[in-house]
Amino acid sequence: MTRRPLIGLTLDSEPAGGWSKLPWYALRQNYFAAVIAAGGLPVALPHEPALAAEYLERIDGLLVTGGAFDVDPALWGEEPLHPSVTLKPGRTDFELAATRAALAKDLPVLGICGGQQLLAVAFGGTLVQHIPDAVPGALPHEQPNPRTEPGHEVSIAGNTLLASIVGRPRMAVNSAHHQAVATPGPGAVVNAVAPDGVVEGLEHPGHRFALGVQWHPEYAVDPADPLIFSAFVQACRG
Protein backbone atom coordinates (compact mmCIF):
# COMPACT_ATOMS: atom_id res chain seq x y z
CA MET A 1 0.00 0.00 0.00
CA THR A 2 1.29 3.48 -0.88
CA ARG A 3 2.41 5.42 2.19
CA ARG A 4 0.23 8.40 3.03
CA PRO A 5 2.33 11.58 3.28
CA LEU A 6 2.34 13.13 6.75
CA ILE A 7 0.65 16.55 6.65
CA GLY A 8 1.05 18.99 9.55
CA LEU A 9 -1.97 21.20 10.22
CA THR A 10 -1.71 24.33 12.32
CA LEU A 11 -4.21 24.67 15.15
CA ASP A 12 -6.30 27.53 16.42
CA SER A 13 -5.89 28.50 20.08
CA GLU A 14 -8.28 29.91 22.65
CA PRO A 15 -7.78 31.24 26.17
CA ALA A 16 -9.33 29.62 29.22
CA GLY A 17 -13.11 29.65 29.15
CA GLY A 18 -15.83 28.19 26.99
CA TRP A 19 -14.94 24.60 26.24
CA SER A 20 -12.19 24.36 28.88
CA LYS A 21 -11.14 26.11 32.07
CA LEU A 22 -7.58 26.01 30.72
CA PRO A 23 -6.17 27.35 27.41
CA TRP A 24 -7.04 25.00 24.57
CA TYR A 25 -6.43 24.17 20.90
CA ALA A 26 -9.17 23.58 18.34
CA LEU A 27 -9.66 22.85 14.64
CA ARG A 28 -12.73 21.92 12.61
CA GLN A 29 -12.96 18.27 11.63
CA ASN A 30 -13.45 19.06 7.93
CA TYR A 31 -9.82 20.20 7.62
CA PHE A 32 -8.65 16.76 8.69
CA ALA A 33 -11.35 14.99 6.65
CA ALA A 34 -10.33 16.85 3.48
CA VAL A 35 -6.67 15.85 3.91
CA ILE A 36 -7.60 12.22 4.59
CA ALA A 37 -9.94 12.10 1.57
CA ALA A 38 -7.08 13.40 -0.59
CA GLY A 39 -4.79 10.61 0.61
CA GLY A 40 -2.84 12.39 3.34
CA LEU A 41 -2.21 11.52 6.98
CA PRO A 42 -2.97 14.67 9.01
CA VAL A 43 -1.33 15.56 12.32
CA ALA A 44 -1.92 18.62 14.51
CA LEU A 45 0.96 20.98 15.31
CA PRO A 46 1.00 22.75 18.72
CA HIS A 47 2.27 26.33 18.83
CA GLU A 48 5.93 25.94 19.74
CA PRO A 49 8.02 28.24 17.50
CA ALA A 50 11.27 26.79 18.85
CA LEU A 51 10.19 23.36 17.59
CA ALA A 52 9.05 24.48 14.13
CA ALA A 53 12.21 23.24 12.42
CA GLU A 54 11.92 19.85 14.14
CA TYR A 55 8.31 19.45 13.01
CA LEU A 56 9.43 20.21 9.47
CA GLU A 57 12.04 17.43 9.65
CA ARG A 58 9.23 14.92 10.18
CA ILE A 59 6.29 16.07 8.08
CA ASP A 60 5.95 15.96 4.30
CA GLY A 61 3.87 19.12 3.93
CA LEU A 62 2.38 22.02 5.88
CA LEU A 63 -1.23 23.21 5.86
CA VAL A 64 -1.70 26.64 7.49
CA THR A 65 -5.34 26.93 8.51
CA GLY A 66 -7.62 29.92 8.99
CA GLY A 67 -9.24 31.39 12.07
CA ALA A 68 -11.10 34.37 13.50
CA PHE A 69 -8.00 36.52 14.01
CA ASP A 70 -5.53 38.59 12.01
CA VAL A 71 -1.85 38.69 11.10
CA ASP A 72 -0.06 41.46 12.99
CA PRO A 73 0.45 44.47 10.63
CA ALA A 74 3.82 45.07 12.30
CA LEU A 75 5.07 42.00 10.42
CA TRP A 76 4.84 43.90 7.13
CA GLY A 77 5.85 47.23 8.63
CA GLU A 78 2.46 48.88 8.97
CA GLU A 79 0.99 50.74 11.92
CA PRO A 80 -1.22 51.61 13.70
CA LEU A 81 -3.57 48.64 13.99
CA HIS A 82 -7.03 49.10 12.56
CA PRO A 83 -9.68 48.87 15.35
CA SER A 84 -11.07 45.69 13.75
CA VAL A 85 -7.77 43.78 13.98
CA THR A 86 -7.63 40.88 16.44
CA LEU A 87 -4.27 39.27 17.16
CA LYS A 88 -3.13 35.85 18.38
CA PRO A 89 0.63 36.39 18.74
CA GLY A 90 1.52 32.88 19.91
CA ARG A 91 -0.23 31.30 16.98
CA THR A 92 1.19 33.72 14.42
CA ASP A 93 4.72 33.33 15.80
CA PHE A 94 4.55 29.57 15.32
CA GLU A 95 2.82 29.63 11.94
CA LEU A 96 5.29 32.13 10.52
CA ALA A 97 8.27 30.16 11.83
CA ALA A 98 6.84 26.91 10.44
CA THR A 99 5.96 28.46 7.07
CA ARG A 100 9.39 30.01 6.64
CA ALA A 101 11.05 26.72 7.57
CA ALA A 102 8.87 24.82 5.10
CA LEU A 103 9.65 27.27 2.29
CA ALA A 104 13.36 27.07 3.09
CA LYS A 105 13.19 23.27 2.78
CA ASP A 106 10.93 23.54 -0.28
CA LEU A 107 8.26 21.45 1.42
CA PRO A 108 4.75 21.87 -0.01
CA VAL A 109 2.71 24.56 1.75
CA LEU A 110 -1.02 25.18 1.45
CA GLY A 111 -2.42 28.30 3.12
CA ILE A 112 -6.16 28.63 3.67
CA CYS A 113 -7.90 31.95 4.44
CA GLY A 114 -5.74 33.50 7.18
CA GLY A 115 -3.11 30.94 6.20
CA GLN A 116 -3.05 32.44 2.72
CA GLN A 117 -2.51 35.89 4.21
CA LEU A 118 0.31 34.60 6.42
CA LEU A 119 1.88 32.95 3.36
CA ALA A 120 1.88 36.32 1.62
CA VAL A 121 3.70 37.88 4.58
CA ALA A 122 6.22 35.01 4.52
CA PHE A 123 6.82 35.83 0.84
CA GLY A 124 7.54 39.43 1.83
CA GLY A 125 4.14 40.77 0.82
CA THR A 126 1.63 43.04 2.55
CA LEU A 127 -2.02 42.93 3.58
CA VAL A 128 -5.07 45.16 3.60
CA GLN A 129 -6.04 45.57 7.26
CA HIS A 130 -9.79 46.08 6.69
CA ILE A 131 -11.38 45.59 3.27
CA PRO A 132 -14.43 47.86 3.77
CA ASP A 133 -12.14 50.82 4.47
CA ALA A 134 -9.72 50.10 1.63
CA VAL A 135 -11.90 48.85 -1.26
CA PRO A 136 -14.78 51.10 -2.37
CA GLY A 137 -17.88 49.06 -3.17
CA ALA A 138 -16.36 45.86 -1.80
CA LEU A 139 -18.40 42.68 -1.66
CA PRO A 140 -19.41 41.35 1.78
CA HIS A 141 -16.32 39.20 2.23
CA GLU A 142 -17.58 38.21 5.65
CA GLN A 143 -20.57 36.62 3.98
CA PRO A 144 -23.90 36.70 5.85
CA ASN A 145 -24.98 33.25 4.65
CA PRO A 146 -23.54 29.98 6.05
CA ARG A 147 -19.95 29.02 5.21
CA THR A 148 -21.31 25.80 3.71
CA GLU A 149 -22.67 27.93 0.84
CA PRO A 150 -20.90 30.11 -1.74
CA GLY A 151 -20.57 33.82 -1.03
CA HIS A 152 -19.28 34.96 -4.43
CA GLU A 153 -17.20 33.82 -7.39
CA VAL A 154 -13.51 34.29 -8.14
CA SER A 155 -11.69 34.53 -11.44
CA ILE A 156 -8.72 32.17 -11.79
CA ALA A 157 -5.65 33.59 -13.54
CA GLY A 158 -4.44 31.53 -16.48
CA ASN A 159 -1.01 29.90 -16.59
CA THR A 160 -0.92 29.47 -12.81
CA LEU A 161 -0.61 26.46 -10.56
CA LEU A 162 -4.15 27.05 -9.32
CA ALA A 163 -5.50 27.13 -12.88
CA SER A 164 -3.76 23.84 -13.68
CA ILE A 165 -5.27 22.27 -10.56
CA VAL A 166 -8.90 23.36 -10.89
CA GLY A 167 -9.07 23.38 -14.70
CA ARG A 168 -11.55 26.23 -14.94
CA PRO A 169 -11.53 30.05 -15.19
CA ARG A 170 -14.01 30.68 -12.35
CA MET A 171 -15.01 29.10 -9.05
CA ALA A 172 -17.74 29.66 -6.48
CA VAL A 173 -16.21 30.26 -3.05
CA ASN A 174 -17.22 30.87 0.55
CA SER A 175 -15.88 34.00 2.18
CA ALA A 176 -14.98 34.70 5.81
CA HIS A 177 -12.41 37.49 6.00
CA HIS A 178 -12.04 41.23 6.49
CA GLN A 179 -8.33 41.37 5.59
CA ALA A 180 -6.81 40.50 2.23
CA VAL A 181 -3.52 40.37 0.38
CA ALA A 182 -2.40 43.79 -0.87
CA THR A 183 0.89 42.74 -2.49
CA PRO A 184 1.92 39.08 -2.87
CA GLY A 185 5.65 39.52 -2.26
CA PRO A 186 8.73 39.29 -4.51
CA GLY A 187 8.37 36.47 -7.03
CA ALA A 188 4.86 35.55 -5.87
CA VAL A 189 1.87 35.66 -8.22
CA VAL A 190 -1.81 36.48 -7.64
CA ASN A 191 -3.83 33.55 -8.99
CA ALA A 192 -7.43 34.44 -8.08
CA VAL A 193 -9.39 37.68 -7.76
CA ALA A 194 -12.92 38.51 -6.59
CA PRO A 195 -15.24 40.62 -8.79
CA ASP A 196 -14.41 43.70 -6.64
CA GLY A 197 -10.68 43.25 -7.24
CA VAL A 198 -9.84 41.76 -3.84
CA VAL A 199 -7.03 39.20 -4.05
CA GLU A 200 -8.37 35.68 -3.40
CA GLY A 201 -5.31 33.53 -3.99
CA LEU A 202 -1.55 33.56 -4.54
CA GLU A 203 1.31 31.22 -5.28
CA HIS A 204 5.07 31.27 -5.69
CA PRO A 205 6.46 29.55 -8.79
CA GLY A 206 9.92 29.53 -7.21
CA HIS A 207 8.81 26.77 -4.83
CA ARG A 208 7.74 23.21 -5.52
CA PHE A 209 4.24 23.88 -4.14
CA ALA A 210 3.45 27.12 -2.31
CA LEU A 211 -0.23 27.93 -2.76
CA GLY A 212 -2.71 30.05 -0.83
CA VAL A 213 -6.45 30.49 -1.26
CA GLN A 214 -8.58 33.02 0.62
CA TRP A 215 -11.63 30.78 0.76
CA HIS A 216 -12.21 27.51 2.65
CA PRO A 217 -11.96 24.58 0.20
CA GLU A 218 -12.40 22.10 3.06
CA TYR A 219 -16.15 22.85 2.83
CA ALA A 220 -16.18 21.80 -0.85
CA VAL A 221 -18.77 24.39 -1.90
CA ASP A 222 -17.38 24.13 -5.45
CA PRO A 223 -16.67 20.81 -7.20
CA ALA A 224 -13.09 21.96 -7.81
CA ASP A 225 -12.31 22.49 -4.11
CA PRO A 226 -11.26 18.86 -3.40
CA LEU A 227 -8.83 19.09 -6.33
CA ILE A 228 -6.81 21.63 -4.34
CA PHE A 229 -6.29 19.13 -1.52
CA SER A 230 -5.53 16.33 -3.98
CA ALA A 231 -2.85 18.40 -5.71
CA PHE A 232 -1.34 19.43 -2.36
CA VAL A 233 -1.19 15.87 -1.04
CA GLN A 234 0.23 14.64 -4.34
CA ALA A 235 3.00 17.26 -4.09
CA CYS A 236 3.72 16.04 -0.54
CA ARG A 237 4.32 12.53 -1.91
CA GLY A 238 7.29 13.86 -3.83
Side-chain angles (χ1 to χ4, degrees):
M1 184 173 69
T2 303
R3 172 184 172 273
R4 287 176 175 261
L6 190 66
I7 313 297
L9 279 69
T10 63
L11 293 163
D12 201 3
S13 63
E14 294 293 340
W19 181 81
S20 174
K21 295 180 180 179
L22 297 172
W24 49 285
Y25 291 120
L27 193 64
R28 280 182 281 101
Q29 292 182 10
N30 59 354
Y31 277 112
F32 296 102
V35 171
I36 292 169
L41 183 66
V43 295
L45 304 179
H47 301 164
E48 297 290 343
L51 299 180
E54 289 193 51
Y55 287 131
L56 271 296
E57 291 294 332
R58 291 166 170 79
I59 63 176
D60 300 305
L62 176 68
L63 197 165
V64 186
T65 63
F69 75 106
D70 303 301
V71 180
D72 189 347
L75 292 172
W76 70 87
E78 185 171 310
E79 56 181 359
L81 270 64
H82 189 278
S84 65
V85 170
T86 301
L87 303 181
K88 289 188 176 180
R91 175 175 176 177
T92 297
D93 290 346
F94 171 72
E95 289 186 327
L96 193 56
T99 299
R100 285 172 169 164
L103 293 173
K105 290 176 61 66
D106 206 24
L107 284 182
V109 179
L110 174 61
I112 291 177
C113 197
Q116 181 242 197
Q117 296 168 10
L118 184 124
L119 189 58
V121 173
F123 289 155
T126 62
L127 305 181
V128 173
Q129 287 200 49
H130 190 57
I131 293 169
D133 287 357
V135 182
L139 294 169
H141 286 273
E142 294 185 283
Q143 68 183 55
N145 53 313
R147 303 295 186 257
T148 52
E149 302 171 0
H152 60 80
E153 287 192 335
V154 297
S155 297
I156 310 297
N159 299 315
T160 59
L161 173 62
L162 182 62
S164 71
I165 290 170
V166 302
R168 59 177 62 186
R170 302 185 69 84
M171 287 180 63
V173 302
N174 49 17
S175 192
H177 62 108
H178 78 104
Q179 293 194 323
V181 172
T183 60
V189 175
V190 172
N191 57 26
V193 179
D196 58 6
V198 169
V199 173
E200 292 282 334
L202 81 167
E203 60 191 62
H204 200 303
H207 295 276
R208 180 155 56 102
F209 189 105
L211 174 69
V213 294
Q214 184 62 71
W215 63 95
H216 284 271
E218 69 275 14
Y219 283 96
V221 301
D222 188 282
D225 278 330
L227 300 177
I228 296 172
F229 285 97
S230 295
F232 171 57
V233 171
Q234 183 58 42
C236 294
R237 294 186 190 279

